[in-house]
Short mmCIF file of all heavy atoms in Angstrom, two decimals:
data_model
loop_
_atom_site.label_atom_id
_atom_site.label_comp_id
_atom_site.label_asym_id
_atom_site.label_seq_id
_atom_site.Cartn_x
_atom_site.Cartn_y
_atom_site.Cartn_z
N VAL I 7 -139.38 -18.96 -107.23
CA VAL I 7 -139.81 -19.58 -105.98
C VAL I 7 -140.48 -18.51 -105.12
O VAL I 7 -140.14 -17.34 -105.21
CB VAL I 7 -138.64 -20.22 -105.20
CG1 VAL I 7 -138.04 -21.37 -105.98
CG2 VAL I 7 -137.57 -19.17 -104.89
N GLY I 8 -141.44 -18.94 -104.32
CA GLY I 8 -142.13 -17.97 -103.48
C GLY I 8 -143.33 -18.59 -102.81
O GLY I 8 -143.72 -19.73 -103.12
N ASP I 9 -143.94 -17.84 -101.90
CA ASP I 9 -145.07 -18.36 -101.11
C ASP I 9 -146.34 -18.50 -101.93
O ASP I 9 -147.18 -19.35 -101.67
CB ASP I 9 -145.37 -17.41 -99.94
CG ASP I 9 -144.17 -17.25 -99.02
OD1 ASP I 9 -143.42 -18.23 -98.87
OD2 ASP I 9 -144.00 -16.15 -98.47
N ARG I 10 -146.50 -17.67 -102.95
CA ARG I 10 -147.78 -17.61 -103.64
C ARG I 10 -147.57 -17.56 -105.15
O ARG I 10 -146.69 -16.86 -105.65
CB ARG I 10 -148.55 -16.37 -103.19
CG ARG I 10 -149.93 -16.21 -103.83
CD ARG I 10 -150.64 -14.99 -103.26
NE ARG I 10 -150.92 -15.17 -101.85
CZ ARG I 10 -151.60 -14.27 -101.12
NH1 ARG I 10 -152.03 -13.16 -101.70
NH2 ARG I 10 -151.81 -14.49 -99.84
N GLY I 11 -148.44 -18.29 -105.87
CA GLY I 11 -148.39 -18.27 -107.32
C GLY I 11 -149.22 -17.14 -107.86
O GLY I 11 -150.17 -16.64 -107.25
N GLY I 12 -148.86 -16.70 -109.09
CA GLY I 12 -149.59 -15.62 -109.74
C GLY I 12 -149.78 -15.87 -111.21
O GLY I 12 -149.56 -16.98 -111.72
N PHE I 13 -150.20 -14.82 -111.91
CA PHE I 13 -150.48 -14.91 -113.34
C PHE I 13 -149.24 -15.30 -114.13
O PHE I 13 -148.15 -14.82 -113.87
CB PHE I 13 -151.04 -13.58 -113.84
CG PHE I 13 -151.43 -13.58 -115.29
CD1 PHE I 13 -152.62 -14.19 -115.68
CD2 PHE I 13 -150.62 -13.01 -116.25
CE1 PHE I 13 -152.99 -14.21 -117.01
CE2 PHE I 13 -151.00 -13.01 -117.58
CZ PHE I 13 -152.19 -13.61 -117.97
N GLY I 14 -149.43 -16.20 -115.09
CA GLY I 14 -148.33 -16.61 -115.94
C GLY I 14 -147.28 -17.46 -115.26
O GLY I 14 -146.15 -17.55 -115.75
N GLY I 15 -147.65 -18.07 -114.15
CA GLY I 15 -146.70 -18.95 -113.45
C GLY I 15 -145.70 -18.22 -112.59
O GLY I 15 -144.80 -18.85 -112.03
N LYS I 16 -145.83 -16.92 -112.42
CA LYS I 16 -144.90 -16.17 -111.57
C LYS I 16 -145.13 -16.50 -110.10
O LYS I 16 -146.24 -16.85 -109.71
CB LYS I 16 -145.05 -14.67 -111.81
CG LYS I 16 -144.61 -14.21 -113.20
CD LYS I 16 -144.72 -12.70 -113.33
CE LYS I 16 -144.24 -12.26 -114.69
NZ LYS I 16 -144.33 -10.77 -114.85
N ARG I 17 -144.05 -16.37 -109.31
CA ARG I 17 -144.13 -16.65 -107.89
C ARG I 17 -143.81 -15.38 -107.09
O ARG I 17 -143.05 -14.51 -107.56
CB ARG I 17 -143.12 -17.75 -107.48
CG ARG I 17 -143.27 -19.05 -108.21
CD ARG I 17 -144.61 -19.75 -107.88
NE ARG I 17 -144.69 -20.07 -106.44
CZ ARG I 17 -145.74 -20.66 -105.89
NH1 ARG I 17 -146.78 -20.99 -106.64
NH2 ARG I 17 -145.76 -20.92 -104.60
N TYR I 18 -144.43 -15.27 -105.88
CA TYR I 18 -144.27 -14.08 -105.06
C TYR I 18 -144.07 -14.48 -103.60
O TYR I 18 -144.67 -15.46 -103.13
CB TYR I 18 -145.51 -13.18 -105.16
CG TYR I 18 -145.79 -12.70 -106.56
CD1 TYR I 18 -146.55 -13.48 -107.45
CD2 TYR I 18 -145.31 -11.49 -107.01
CE1 TYR I 18 -146.81 -13.05 -108.73
CE2 TYR I 18 -145.58 -11.04 -108.30
CZ TYR I 18 -146.33 -11.82 -109.16
OH TYR I 18 -146.59 -11.40 -110.43
N ASP I 19 -143.24 -13.70 -102.89
CA ASP I 19 -143.15 -13.83 -101.44
C ASP I 19 -144.17 -12.90 -100.82
O ASP I 19 -144.35 -11.74 -101.26
CB ASP I 19 -141.74 -13.46 -100.94
CG ASP I 19 -140.74 -14.57 -101.17
OD1 ASP I 19 -141.17 -15.73 -101.23
OD2 ASP I 19 -139.55 -14.26 -101.29
N VAL I 20 -144.85 -13.36 -99.77
CA VAL I 20 -145.88 -12.59 -99.09
C VAL I 20 -145.46 -12.38 -97.65
O VAL I 20 -145.17 -13.35 -96.92
CB VAL I 20 -147.25 -13.29 -99.16
CG1 VAL I 20 -148.29 -12.46 -98.40
CG2 VAL I 20 -147.67 -13.49 -100.61
N GLU I 21 -145.39 -11.13 -97.23
CA GLU I 21 -145.00 -10.78 -95.85
C GLU I 21 -146.13 -10.00 -95.20
O GLU I 21 -146.67 -9.07 -95.77
CB GLU I 21 -143.74 -9.91 -95.89
CG GLU I 21 -143.28 -9.44 -94.52
CD GLU I 21 -142.12 -8.44 -94.64
OE1 GLU I 21 -141.70 -8.13 -95.77
OE2 GLU I 21 -141.64 -8.01 -93.58
N LYS I 22 -146.51 -10.41 -93.97
CA LYS I 22 -147.51 -9.66 -93.22
C LYS I 22 -146.86 -8.45 -92.56
O LYS I 22 -145.80 -8.54 -91.97
CB LYS I 22 -148.15 -10.55 -92.16
CG LYS I 22 -149.03 -11.66 -92.72
CD LYS I 22 -149.71 -12.44 -91.61
CE LYS I 22 -150.65 -13.49 -92.19
NZ LYS I 22 -151.33 -14.28 -91.12
N VAL I 23 -147.51 -7.29 -92.69
CA VAL I 23 -146.99 -6.03 -92.15
C VAL I 23 -148.04 -5.41 -91.25
O VAL I 23 -149.18 -5.20 -91.67
CB VAL I 23 -146.64 -5.04 -93.28
CG1 VAL I 23 -146.09 -3.75 -92.70
CG2 VAL I 23 -145.65 -5.68 -94.25
N GLU I 24 -147.69 -5.10 -90.00
CA GLU I 24 -148.59 -4.39 -89.11
C GLU I 24 -148.25 -2.92 -89.15
O GLU I 24 -147.12 -2.53 -88.92
CB GLU I 24 -148.45 -4.92 -87.67
CG GLU I 24 -149.47 -4.30 -86.73
CD GLU I 24 -149.46 -4.94 -85.35
OE1 GLU I 24 -149.71 -6.12 -85.24
OE2 GLU I 24 -149.18 -4.20 -84.39
N SER I 25 -149.24 -2.08 -89.47
CA SER I 25 -149.00 -0.66 -89.70
C SER I 25 -149.49 0.21 -88.55
O SER I 25 -150.02 1.28 -88.76
CB SER I 25 -149.70 -0.23 -91.00
OG SER I 25 -149.16 -0.91 -92.09
N GLY I 26 -149.32 -0.23 -87.36
CA GLY I 26 -149.70 0.59 -86.22
C GLY I 26 -150.92 0.04 -85.52
O GLY I 26 -151.82 -0.53 -86.13
N SER I 27 -150.97 0.16 -84.21
CA SER I 27 -152.12 -0.29 -83.44
C SER I 27 -152.17 0.51 -82.14
O SER I 27 -151.18 1.11 -81.73
CB SER I 27 -152.00 -1.80 -83.13
OG SER I 27 -150.88 -2.06 -82.31
N TYR I 28 -153.35 0.47 -81.48
CA TYR I 28 -153.46 1.10 -80.19
C TYR I 28 -154.63 0.48 -79.43
O TYR I 28 -155.58 -0.03 -80.03
CB TYR I 28 -153.65 2.63 -80.30
CG TYR I 28 -154.89 3.08 -81.04
CD1 TYR I 28 -156.10 3.25 -80.35
CD2 TYR I 28 -154.87 3.32 -82.40
CE1 TYR I 28 -157.25 3.67 -81.02
CE2 TYR I 28 -156.01 3.74 -83.07
CZ TYR I 28 -157.19 3.91 -82.37
OH TYR I 28 -158.32 4.33 -83.03
N GLU I 29 -154.53 0.52 -78.11
CA GLU I 29 -155.61 -0.01 -77.27
C GLU I 29 -156.75 1.00 -77.21
O GLU I 29 -156.53 2.21 -77.13
CB GLU I 29 -155.09 -0.32 -75.87
CG GLU I 29 -154.11 -1.47 -75.82
CD GLU I 29 -153.75 -1.86 -74.42
OE1 GLU I 29 -154.43 -1.38 -73.46
OE2 GLU I 29 -152.80 -2.64 -74.23
N ASP I 30 -157.97 0.50 -77.25
CA ASP I 30 -159.14 1.37 -77.31
C ASP I 30 -160.19 0.88 -76.30
O ASP I 30 -161.30 0.49 -76.67
CB ASP I 30 -159.70 1.36 -78.74
CG ASP I 30 -160.81 2.37 -78.94
OD1 ASP I 30 -161.02 3.19 -78.03
OD2 ASP I 30 -161.47 2.34 -80.00
N GLU I 31 -159.83 0.95 -75.03
CA GLU I 31 -160.75 0.53 -73.98
C GLU I 31 -160.51 1.37 -72.74
O GLU I 31 -159.37 1.49 -72.27
CB GLU I 31 -160.58 -0.96 -73.66
CG GLU I 31 -161.56 -1.49 -72.63
CD GLU I 31 -161.47 -2.99 -72.44
OE1 GLU I 31 -160.53 -3.60 -72.96
OE2 GLU I 31 -162.36 -3.54 -71.75
N PHE I 32 -161.59 1.95 -72.21
CA PHE I 32 -161.48 2.84 -71.05
C PHE I 32 -162.61 2.51 -70.07
O PHE I 32 -163.76 2.37 -70.46
CB PHE I 32 -161.58 4.30 -71.48
CG PHE I 32 -160.55 4.73 -72.45
CD1 PHE I 32 -160.75 4.56 -73.81
CD2 PHE I 32 -159.35 5.29 -72.03
CE1 PHE I 32 -159.77 4.94 -74.73
CE2 PHE I 32 -158.38 5.69 -72.92
CZ PHE I 32 -158.60 5.51 -74.29
N ASP I 33 -162.26 2.40 -68.79
CA ASP I 33 -163.30 2.20 -67.76
C ASP I 33 -164.14 3.47 -67.62
O ASP I 33 -165.35 3.38 -67.36
CB ASP I 33 -162.66 1.84 -66.42
CG ASP I 33 -161.97 0.48 -66.45
OD1 ASP I 33 -162.42 -0.39 -67.23
OD2 ASP I 33 -161.00 0.30 -65.71
N ASP I 34 -163.53 4.62 -67.75
CA ASP I 34 -164.26 5.90 -67.63
C ASP I 34 -163.74 6.83 -68.71
O ASP I 34 -162.77 7.58 -68.54
CB ASP I 34 -164.03 6.51 -66.24
CG ASP I 34 -164.93 7.70 -65.97
OD1 ASP I 34 -165.41 8.31 -66.95
OD2 ASP I 34 -165.14 8.05 -64.80
N PHE I 35 -164.37 6.78 -69.86
CA PHE I 35 -163.90 7.53 -71.02
C PHE I 35 -163.98 9.03 -70.78
O PHE I 35 -163.09 9.79 -71.18
CB PHE I 35 -164.71 7.15 -72.26
CG PHE I 35 -164.23 7.79 -73.52
CD1 PHE I 35 -163.07 7.34 -74.15
CD2 PHE I 35 -164.93 8.84 -74.11
CE1 PHE I 35 -162.62 7.94 -75.32
CE2 PHE I 35 -164.48 9.44 -75.27
CZ PHE I 35 -163.33 8.97 -75.88
N GLU I 36 -165.04 9.48 -70.13
CA GLU I 36 -165.19 10.91 -69.86
C GLU I 36 -164.04 11.42 -68.99
O GLU I 36 -163.51 12.51 -69.24
CB GLU I 36 -166.53 11.18 -69.19
CG GLU I 36 -166.79 12.63 -68.90
CD GLU I 36 -168.14 12.86 -68.22
OE1 GLU I 36 -169.05 12.06 -68.45
OE2 GLU I 36 -168.26 13.86 -67.49
N ALA I 37 -163.66 10.64 -67.99
CA ALA I 37 -162.57 11.05 -67.11
C ALA I 37 -161.24 11.10 -67.86
O ALA I 37 -160.34 11.86 -67.49
CB ALA I 37 -162.47 10.10 -65.92
N PHE I 38 -161.12 10.27 -68.89
CA PHE I 38 -159.91 10.30 -69.73
C PHE I 38 -159.88 11.52 -70.64
O PHE I 38 -158.88 12.22 -70.73
CB PHE I 38 -159.85 9.02 -70.57
CG PHE I 38 -158.94 9.10 -71.77
CD1 PHE I 38 -157.58 9.04 -71.62
CD2 PHE I 38 -159.47 9.24 -73.05
CE1 PHE I 38 -156.73 9.13 -72.73
CE2 PHE I 38 -158.65 9.33 -74.15
CZ PHE I 38 -157.27 9.26 -73.99
N LEU I 39 -161.00 11.79 -71.31
CA LEU I 39 -161.00 12.80 -72.37
C LEU I 39 -161.16 14.22 -71.87
O LEU I 39 -160.47 15.15 -72.34
CB LEU I 39 -162.12 12.49 -73.39
CG LEU I 39 -162.20 13.43 -74.58
CD1 LEU I 39 -160.93 13.33 -75.43
CD2 LEU I 39 -163.44 13.11 -75.41
#
């Protein structure tokens, strides 16, 4: 049993994984850097 079918009738569970994120918006980038 599982979310997704595969080769030979096998079943797999699929989990979404977020591997890090960051905001990338600056009103004045020069003043930041």
Side-chain angles (χ1 to χ4, degrees):
V7 295
D9 301 327
R10 181 177 296 183
F13 183 76
K16 293 183 178 180
R17 303 294 299 179
Y18 300 86
D19 282 334
V20 179
E21 177 186 2
K22 291 184 177 180
V23 180
E24 185 173 300
S25 297
S27 64
Y28 62 88
E29 293 187 11
D30 188 9
E31 183 173 10
F32 301 87
D33 293 331
D34 190 338
F35 185 75
E36 182 180 332
F38 161 75
L39 183 63

